[in-house]
Amino acid sequence: MAIILGVDPGSRITGYGIIRAEGRHIEYIDSGCIRVGDKPMAQRLQSIFHSLATLIGEYRPEEFAIEQVFMARNPDSALKLGQARGAAIVSAANSGLAVHEYSARQVKQAVVGKGSADKSQVQHMVQALLSLSRKPQADAADALAIALCHAHMSQSVLKVAASGGKVRSGRVRQQ
């Protein structure tokens, strides 16, 4: 059984989602958003770092998953996103957590079944997969989707390891 913290980093809003995964059984624990507003960038990064450290201390996750950087149209936005990711990653690393990174396409594929899914489809599937009474806020839904993606990927790796196979180019090869 593993508690997984998924993070959708942002320079103004960082989503987080916490689930418990045991085999195919996945249970919702918590989710929300770290809103840092219009503070100077250094203070926003500090808020992200400390807020995640507080969540890690409270929920004691064994796994940490975060979305990889993507190339945004605006280079300044991409740099700020990278800085927010860095603050989140250092918070996890300081707590002794290994960091697992997934592309947005991998996350959407794992949760929706289509790598080009839009935000509303991700929200809908997160709500359905976790049996939530309402759709989570978009950034929290993305973070939960990242945690779900990690749970699915971890299960796949365990299955391959148990079968004695190797993964190569997306296929399982028996030894």
Side-chain angles (χ1 to χ4, degrees), residues 11 41 45 48 69 76-88:
S11 64
M41 192 61 177
L45 297 174
I48 293 166
V69 149
D76 188 52
S77 295
L79 287 170
K80 288 177 181 175
L81 173 62
Q83 291 173 333
R85 280 184 83 251

Side-chain angles (χ1 to χ4, degrees), residues 10 15 29 34 46 54 59 63 78 85-86 92 99 108 111-112 123 127 130 147 156 166 172 174:
I29 296 176
I34 300 164
Q46 184 181 42
T54 299
Y59 291 103
E63 306 281 338
R85 280 184 83 251
V99 174
K108 292 172 183 178
V111 174
V112 179
Q123 281 179 294
Q127 180 185 10
L130 296 173
S156 296
K166 283 188 174 179
V172 176
Q174 295 293 331

Side-chain angles (χ1 to χ4, degrees), residues 119-172:
K119 280 198 175 278
S120 66
Q121 290 172 305
V122 171
Q123 281 179 294
H124 174 77
M125 286 306 297
V126 165
Q127 180 185 10
L129 290 168
L130 296 173
S131 303
L132 302 176
S133 59
R134 61 184 171 85
K135 285 184 184 175
Q137 191 273 344
D139 296 291
D142 287 347
L144 286 165
I146 293 162
L148 287 165
C149 175
H150 180 67
H152 293 308
M153 296 298 273
S154 295
Q155 273 301 106
S156 296
V157 169
L158 289 174
K159 284 181 186 176
V160 170
S163 71
K166 283 188 174 179
V167 176
R168 182 176 258 196
S169 303
R171 295 182 157 187
V172 176

